[in-house]
Amino acid sequence: MILLGLQWVLTAFVIMIQPFINELPTFKCKHEDGTIYECNEEKGCSEGWVDLDDSPKSLIVKLELYCDRAYLRSLGEALFFAGGSLGFVFFSHAADKYGRKPALMLSYFCGAVCMLALALYSDNVIVYFALLSICWAGYDPFFAFSLIILNEKGGTSSPKGRIIF
């Protein structure tokens, strides 16, 4: 049960990292008087001003998933959730065949390894998409399996016969 409790620390990291790895670069535009100001992606791309020096160091900036390649950013976000759906099918079958705890540990291991690989080896868009999909394919079923195992246990019984949750 301690492992199930501690896993939420890493789970919070997985969920909260998405805005940081998908942060856009800084776009700069010019007023008619020549002054420079920060603007949105649409206007910044049309005027051709992307300031990579002041931009956050995210995978979106590293893989250049902005302007003409912005559609790839949306595709990556969709593949993230598609991976979770496929993970549910695979790990649910594994849980029925081999037991809930082995499937729970396998899904957690899959998500953790892919999250680490995502941070270290995302050098191109294909690797980024694959690791992002597999990462959520491991973590998404893990949430459900941990809750199922906790509910099947039904809490612990006190000496007086009452269930304590």
Side-chain angles (χ1 to χ4, degrees):
M1 292 300 154
I2 291 174
L3 180 64
L4 293 176
L6 291 177
Q7 63 88 18
W8 290 105
V9 173
L10 188 57
T11 300
F13 175 74
V14 170
I15 293 171
M16 297 306 291
I17 197 172
Q18 291 301 317
F20 297 108
I21 65 172
N22 292 326
E23 195 169 356
L24 289 173
T26 304
F27 296 97
K28 305 268 180 154
C29 297
K30 282 187 182 179
H31 282 293
E32 289 144 11
D33 63 358
T35 58
I36 298 172
Y37 66 99
E38 286 191 25
C39 55
N40 62 10
E41 181 178 10
E42 182 179 331
K43 189 169 184 181
C45 290
S46 67
E47 293 188 15
W49 274 63
V50 179
D51 188 4
L52 295 178
D53 294 333
D54 290 339
S55 295
K57 305 301 181 221
S58 68
L59 287 175
I60 297 299
V61 174
K62 179 181 177 183
L63 300 174
E64 298 177 357
L65 301 180
Y66 50 86
C67 292
D68 294 339
R69 296 173 43 142
Y71 69 94
L72 290 173
R73 191 172 62 239
S74 300
L75 179 63
E77 292 168 358
L79 288 173
F80 180 73
F81 292 107
S85 300
L86 292 175
F88 261 112
V89 171
F90 174 76
F91 287 112
S92 295
H93 177 70
D96 287 341
K97 189 169 184 176
Y98 302 110
R100 290 195 188 1
K101 286 185 182 179
L104 178 82
M105 292 301 120
L106 182 63
S107 69
Y108 188 69
F109 180 75
C110 174
V113 167
C114 285
M115 178 55 70
L116 183 63
L118 183 66
L120 298 176
Y121 301 111
S122 292
D123 292 335
N124 64 45
V125 177
I126 303 299
V127 172
Y128 171 68
F129 286 163
L131 291 174
L132 196 64
S133 299
I134 296 169
C135 176
W136 199 242
Y139 277 125
D140 204 17
F142 182 80
F143 303 143
F145 290 158
S146 61
L147 293 175
I148 288 169
I149 288 173
L150 289 174
N151 285 330
E152 285 177 346
K153 298 266 183 197
T156 58
S157 297
S158 69
K160 296 182 180 180
R162 293 182 299 220
I163 295 179
I164 302 170
F165 290 97

